[in-house]
Amino acid sequence: MSIDLNDEIIQDFLIEAGELLEQLDQQLVTLETEPDNVEILNAVFRNFHTIKGGAGFLAINTLVDICHQAENVFDVLRRGDAVISTDMMDSILQAYDAVLAIFEQIKAGEMPRPADAALISRLEKFANPESATAQGKAPPASKPEQASEQSVDSPAPGETHTPAAGDEITDDEFESLLDELHGKGKHTMPVQAASKPEDRPEAQDKPDQAAASSPAASDEITDEEFELVLNELQKQKKGAFSETPVSKPAAVTSTDSVNTVNATEKKSAVTEMKAGSKDKDKKVAADSTVRVETGTLDQIMNMVGELVLLRNRLMNLDEEIGHDEMSSTVANLDVVTAELQSSVMKTRMQPIKKVFGRFPRVVRDVARTLDKQVVLKMTGEDTDLDKNLVEALTDPLIHLVRNAVDHGIEIPEVRLAAGKPKEGTIELTAEQEGDHIMLKISDDGAGIDANALRRKVVENGLMEADAAERLSDHECYHFIFLPGLSTKDEVSDISGRGVGMDVVKSRINQLNGTILINSERGVGTVISIKVPLTLAIMPTLMVSLGNLEQIFAFPLVNVNEILDLNTHQVNVVDGQPVLLVRGKPLPLYNLGRWLTRKTGDDSDVSGHVVVVSIGTSSIGLQVDRLLGREEVVIKPLGALLQGTKGMSGATVTGNGKIALILDLPSLVQKYSHIR
Amino acid sequence: MNENVLRNNQTGTDESLQWVTFQLSNELYGVNVLQVQEVLKYTEITPVPGAPHYVLGIINLRGNVVTVIDTRSRFGLEIKEPDDLTRIIFIEVKGHIIGMLVDSVAEVVSMLRSEIETSPILNNEDSDNSKYILGVQSTDKSILILLDVEKMFEDEEWTEAAGF
């Protein structure tokens, strides 16, 4: 059987459950650090429950099973019958992964394979902790656990048994029974049926449990059991989507039955009512938002980009013409366009939380495999950036975070010996700086051994020993981005997930970003990533080169400063022109000679120098004329030119000409041998 | 669609095909009219440093950046300075628009499938460019070389680009 992905109900489920799953991931890890946080416990329980509900409605039984077990575990935890252990957390996280896997299968349109039976039985074990059995005076005490979230059948064994056992209900027991009902109240049938018919199928998995528990508990059919049977009948009808008429009578019957039960039940019904109305409030709030296809947003963004170009052109024309009225109109257009641009950009903005949210889990898993203790601190999670960027940054960042745990943080013994706290700290920060985002991943680990890197570079024949010796430590750190540079001495196998540091770097470069490493032996490492807020529009510095005055655009993110060549002295060291800037030598290249057919003489020292940073190094690029800053929309080069070294794309400038956008890392790589 | 031309020919359907003809050096070439987007006079082309030798550069075609190749250089002919007759034929190949700089554009001619002959040099393995030739049509005075532009741009160029 396959799943019809065109079905709107399935699509809705996928979207909603997808969001819940995202929340769950973060909640689970938070829960591990704050096991006593009842709010989170409840939230996790609810999320599993809601997913289960949806899955049941769609008859995805594998998903129901696993969510159900997870829910049971959390129910036990919620009632304080068990304490979260790391083992338990592992199993729960595995269960979460299994849910994710099933989810992916559904997305792919296939009926999911059943979940790992061992995992389910492990969860079952956690859902029935020995502690509960030991503490319970009468067998019923443990029964509810099994039935845990079954709102309906749990009171049944409780009630039928208590009289049978002949014991009087102590206050404590009554209290816990109350709690139990209270907790589950939400899922009590009557109101559920009225408020949210979709949730009903959760009853699907009940019958087996009910069948298991009720005969054992009593031969008589209680009202609750009767209700159950009704539910089951109803469920069978559900396939025909006729639940509304059927659920009505069910609700009536059960309300009747409530009267015959004790007051507790009623109380739970009331609580449930409240929960129901809360749900409704949420619904109303959700209606004020609209889901929009990303494709549509991209299209709007493109058009706004074009509009920005047109505005630029108009502004250029205006300067030439200098008509008063025209000027004010263009100025207005400028304001409106800028606002439009920023609001469209805002629609595509997502908090970086979306990426950050995955790190607690990553850190936890890696740390646990390596027996390290790591605390993860995150700041600036609410920093917004372009959706595409969020997605594009996820993999590189995960790699860097894994690296930080794996290579950065030492094992506890080493840390203690070094006089550091046993727990390592990894700090993730995100902040907006003007038109770009600064991301920092810092750890207080061992730092990078520059000498080891020097050795490796020489061993791999990438550099002469004396040349490597001359490099500053800072420059050496850059070597970790070299492809194929094995630093095995300090590397364990954990970060071998296919994405090497070289890939991280090229990804960041693709985003017109820069990456910087700072490290101190024994103190820690800081990796800083600077990326533009959006990929669609890029601020650039326009320059022109050569006799034809061809225009080239520097991505502004790479530009450090602009110098006037006349005021600085140029020396030639080892055949390489070098500019002294504030006492520091800066290699100087003539961009015109690289990119145009200009052949002029070597002593040409007019013009300006654009100082750009590429990785950890800075170089000066001599240009003929500076044209100024312009925001551009990047247009990819055609298929024939894609991959041309040194060029990342083209754009149409304000005066309708074409400007090539420079890709500085590959530009320098390709041309730097030309002096 | 061009690839099917010869095959369909063999199956016997004889329909009329239209070709845009252009001049390069002394030869007349034709490309299927359905693949031609437009023909423009020579305009300023922005060179792209580091591009393959036969790529002249890029131009701004109503807001889109389009690559222009020097068809002479692509076919191994000597380069000619653009003049008044120089034209850029914009063709669409697999969703990409590419401009071909040619000496001049002549006319649109119609011919029946059955009139297309296979190229006499088609079997010459040594000639790299012969595989771009779909066929020829000979009249009493001259011969028209029909180009398979899809082949022309799909071969090494695409793979070169993909290999990056």
Side-chain angles (χ1 to χ4, degrees):
Chain A
M1 175 182 157
S2 69
I3 290 172
D4 179 14
L5 284 175
N6 294 326
D7 193 335
E8 258 181 48
I9 300 173
I10 295 210
Q11 283 305 331
D12 280 353
F13 168 70
L14 284 176
I15 291 170
E16 267 171 45
E19 280 167 7
L20 290 177
L21 280 172
E22 251 168 49
Q23 287 175 18
L24 259 178
D25 188 29
Q26 296 171 36
Q27 287 163 347
L28 284 174
V29 180
T30 322
L31 190 64
E32 197 178 21
T33 48
E34 308 167 34
D36 301 326
N37 192 330
V38 184
E39 237 170 73
I40 290 201
L41 254 174
N42 284 332
V44 171
F45 177 83
R46 259 198 318 273
N47 283 346
F48 268 120
H49 181 80
T50 314
I51 295 172
K52 190 185 81 174
F57 181 63
L58 297 167
I60 306 163
N61 292 330
T62 47
L63 194 52
V64 173
D65 287 346
I66 197 144
C67 286
H68 174 63
Q69 291 303 338
E71 206 183 320
N72 283 356
V73 175
F74 280 99
D75 197 50
V76 174
L77 290 171
R78 232 157 43 123
R79 277 177 291 125
D81 288 350
V83 187
I84 297 177
S85 66
T86 329
D87 281 345
M88 184 190 277
M89 212 54 210
D90 280 344
S91 298
I92 289 166
L93 286 174
Q94 276 168 21
Y96 170 77
D97 289 340
V99 170
L100 268 189
I102 291 173
F103 212 70
E104 287 308 314
Q105 291 172 40
I106 298 172
K107 266 192 196 160
E110 42 189 278
M111 200 63 192
R113 293 176 290 278
D116 182 14
L119 177 61
I120 296 216
S121 68
R122 232 174 311 147
L123 288 173
E124 249 166 20
K125 215 173 73 209
F126 286 121
N128 299 299
E130 293 90 339
S131 60
T133 347
Q135 148 237 297
K137 276 191 261 170
S142 68
K143 273 276 148 84
E145 253 116 56
Q146 208 175 31
S148 45
E149 59 68 60
Q150 268 72 5
S151 52
V152 186
D153 61 343
S154 57
E159 259 170 74
T160 41
H161 269 257
T162 329
D167 283 346
E168 275 188 21
I169 303 178
T170 67
D171 283 355
D172 279 353
E173 276 168 351
F174 185 64
E175 200 66 41
S176 77
L177 214 101
L178 249 178
D179 279 354
E180 201 180 305
L181 283 166
H182 189 83
K184 286 172 229 116
K186 217 171 286 156
H187 323 296
T188 326
M189 278 309 146
V191 189
Q192 188 101 45
S195 68
K196 231 188 167 187
E198 293 97 323
D199 266 358
R200 305 230 44 183
E202 79 206 18
Q204 201 157 12
D205 51 312
K206 281 171 195 164
D208 12 355
Q209 291 243 346
S213 63
S214 49
S218 132
D219 287 337
E220 279 178 330
I221 297 178
T222 65
D223 286 334
E224 286 82 4
E225 280 161 9
F226 177 62
E227 201 186 315
L228 243 166
V229 175
L230 257 177
N231 281 336
E232 202 180 352
L233 284 169
Q234 196 188 3
K235 178 198 76 204
Q236 282 163 0
K237 291 237 173 164
K238 202 147 277 162
F241 284 89
S242 58
E243 85 261 29
T244 337
V246 187
S247 68
K248 280 270 159 67
V252 173
T253 339
S254 42
T255 338
D256 286 347
S257 74
V258 167
N259 293 338
T260 67
V261 197
N262 54 27
T264 358
E265 185 75 60
K266 267 189 191 150
K267 190 168 176 185
S268 80
V270 173
T271 355
E272 140 68 9
M273 229 35 142
K274 275 188 201 146
S277 68
K278 233 188 231 161
D279 264 7
K280 275 203 182 120
D281 287 351
K282 236 191 189 165
K283 277 258 162 72
V284 173
D287 278 346
S288 66
T289 62
V290 181
R291 281 185 212 279
V292 183
E293 292 250 339
T294 338
T296 316
L297 282 182
D298 287 344
Q299 216 181 337
I300 296 175
M301 196 69 195
N302 270 339
M303 289 191 287
V304 170
E306 294 296 330
L307 192 62
V308 169
L309 289 184
L310 285 174
R311 177 204 59 187
N312 291 351
R313 204 174 299 185
L314 265 181
M315 285 168 80
N316 269 5
L317 280 177
D318 175 49
E319 265 171 40
E320 282 170 30
I321 296 167
H323 188 280
D324 269 0
E325 228 168 290
M326 165 116 168
S327 294
S328 67
T329 316
V330 170
N332 278 343
L333 178 70
D334 183 27
V335 173
V336 174
T337 317
E339 262 173 41
L340 180 65
Q341 189 185 335
S342 77
S343 17
V344 171
M345 238 144 82
K346 248 180 233 155
T347 62
R348 296 167 49 93
M349 291 295 193
Q350 282 186 321
I352 194 144
K353 206 187 278 172
K354 268 201 94 132
V355 192
F356 275 19
R358 295 170 66 168
F359 293 144
R361 176 78 194 275
V362 171
V363 169
R364 177 200 179 271
D365 285 357
V366 179
R368 202 161 137 71
T369 337
L370 296 170
D371 278 325
K372 291 179 181 179
Q373 294 182 13
V374 183
V375 181
L376 179 69
K377 284 187 194 158
M378 297 190 285
T379 45
E381 294 155 278
D382 288 325
T383 312
D384 284 334
L385 66 167
D386 194 274
K387 181 178 157 40
N388 293 349
L389 265 176
V390 171
E391 279 156 18
L393 277 172
T394 307
D395 284 346
L397 281 180
I398 285 185
H399 185 79
L400 291 173
V401 169
R402 290 173 63 91
N403 264 359
V405 183
D406 184 14
H407 306 192
I409 304 292
E410 315 91 324
I411 54 171
E413 296 85 74
V414 176
R415 289 187 64 88
L416 285 175
K420 295 194 216 178
K422 187 165 68 165
E423 282 185 332
T425 308
I426 290 179
E427 221 175 320
L428 281 171
T429 56
E431 57 184 328
Q432 189 177 340
E433 288 182 354
D435 51 14
H436 56 259
I437 292 271
M438 186 66 132
L439 295 164
K440 278 193 184 133
I441 300 155
S442 39
D443 63 67
D444 63 348
I448 299 173
D449 186 351
N451 285 328
L453 283 170
R454 281 197 188 93
R455 217 168 44 235
K456 285 289 166 198
V457 173
V458 176
E459 273 171 28
N460 287 346
L462 293 166
M463 201 175 254
E464 296 294 322
D466 53 340
E469 231 20 78
R470 276 204 301 271
L471 292 173
S472 70
D473 284 3
H474 205 255
E475 285 165 317
C476 285
Y477 301 147
H478 204 56
F479 289 142
I480 65 171
F481 294 123
L482 289 177
L485 187 83
S486 159
T487 43
K488 255 239 161 98
D489 312 12
E490 36 175 332
V491 175
S492 81
D493 297 331
I494 195 107
S495 7
R497 267 209 173 174
V499 197
M501 283 301 264
D502 58 316
V503 180
V504 169
K505 180 150 190 258
S506 67
R507 288 272 183 86
I508 303 290
N509 282 344
Q510 275 168 23
L511 305 175
N512 300 313
T514 55
I515 183 164
L516 273 176
I517 306 175
N518 248 314
S519 185
E520 198 174 327
R521 281 302 270 159
V523 179
T525 306
V526 182
I527 295 176
S528 320
I529 296 172
K530 200 166 130 182
V531 285
L533 273 178
T534 172
L535 292 176
I537 294 174
M538 182 164 74
T540 61
L541 172 71
M542 298 275 192
V543 303
S544 77
L545 300 174
N547 305 327
L548 295 169
E549 307 212 347
Q550 194 181 343
I551 308 169
F552 292 89
F554 284 86
L556 214 56
V557 67
N558 291 110
V559 176
N560 289 353
E561 61 180 321
I562 298 164
L563 305 169
D564 188 346
L565 201 51
N566 298 320
T567 59
H568 289 80
Q569 202 192 335
V570 179
N571 301 315
V572 178
V573 179
D574 202 7
Q576 167 69 53
V578 167
L579 195 65
L580 267 184
V581 181
R582 290 182 289 274
K584 276 188 164 179
L586 191 75
L588 180 67
Y589 299 94
N590 191 324
L591 197 60
R593 211 159 297 152
W594 284 3
L595 301 179
T596 65
R597 291 188 193 121
K598 184 176 150 186
T599 41
D601 55 313
D602 281 0
S603 56
D604 181 11
V605 287
S606 64
H608 299 266
V609 175
V610 179
V611 181
V612 295
S613 57
I614 297 153
T616 48
S617 55
S618 290
I619 63 163
L621 292 171
Q622 186 186 339
V623 301
D624 297 335
R625 275 163 301 273
L626 292 170
L627 300 178
R629 197 195 137 130
E630 196 166 319
E631 304 222 311
V632 303
V633 178
I634 307 168
K635 313 230 179 219
L637 296 172
L640 284 171
L641 290 173
Q642 211 127 55
T644 304
K645 290 266 190 299
M647 305 296 145
S648 64
T651 189
V652 181
T653 64
N655 53 20
K657 282 192 171 181
I658 281 193
L660 285 162
I661 301 166
L662 300 176
D663 176 36
L664 289 165
S666 70
L667 180 85
V668 172
Q669 194 191 337
K670 182 179 162 99
Y671 294 99
S672 58
H673 61 277
I674 305 171
R675 280 172 182 165
Chain B
M1 113 231 2
N2 250 350
E3 284 166 13
N4 297 331
V5 171
L6 285 180
R7 201 171 48 236
N8 288 352
N9 190 21
Q10 281 151 7
T11 62
T13 41
D14 204 9
E15 65 181 286
S16 177
L17 298 166
Q18 290 189 303
W19 304 83
V20 175
T21 62
F22 62 88
Q23 188 98 29
L24 267 189
S25 199
N26 293 319
E27 302 296 339
L28 199 60
Y29 296 84
V31 288
N32 194 315
V33 78
L34 294 175
Q35 284 173 311
V36 176
Q37 292 258 324
E38 61 184 304
V39 178
L40 287 186
K41 280 192 172 181
Y42 179 80
T43 83
E44 196 191 331
I45 298 171
T46 309
V48 178
H53 67 96
Y54 53 84
V55 173
L56 282 169
I58 49 180
I59 66 159
N60 171 14
L61 185 67
R62 286 187 296 280
N64 288 315
V65 173
V66 176
T67 309
V68 178
I69 67 153
D70 185 351
T71 320
R72 275 177 166 261
S73 164
R74 186 78 194 85
F75 287 177
L77 302 166
E78 85 272 22
I79 290 156
K80 177 174 172 281
E81 282 299 308
D83 54 30
D84 276 356
L85 290 174
T86 306
R87 295 288 181 275
I88 305 171
I89 304 178
F90 291 93
I91 51 164
E92 194 192 328
V93 184
K94 304 215 161 119
H96 303 278
I97 308 274
I98 290 171
M100 293 169 63
L101 190 78
V102 298
D103 289 1
S104 64
V105 169
E107 56 182 338
V108 177
V109 296
S110 296
M111 68 185 74
L112 296 173
R113 270 185 206 281
S114 54
E115 288 179 83
I116 301 170
E117 304 149 28
T118 47
S119 163
I121 50 166
L122 203 62
N123 296 325
N124 184 355
E125 294 289 329
D126 297 334
S127 171
D128 191 37
N129 288 334
S130 64
K131 61 182 174 216
Y132 306 140
I133 297 171
L134 200 69
V136 295
Q137 190 221 20
S138 42
T139 57
D140 358 332
K141 284 183 225 153
S142 62
I143 125 169
L144 173 64
I145 304 163
L146 304 175
L147 293 176
D148 186 342
V149 281
E150 253 172 57
K151 276 239 178 68
M152 222 172 113
F153 292 110
E154 87 184 347
D155 276 4
E156 62 262 68
E157 294 95 311
W158 296 141
T159 36
E160 255 171 43
F164 172 66

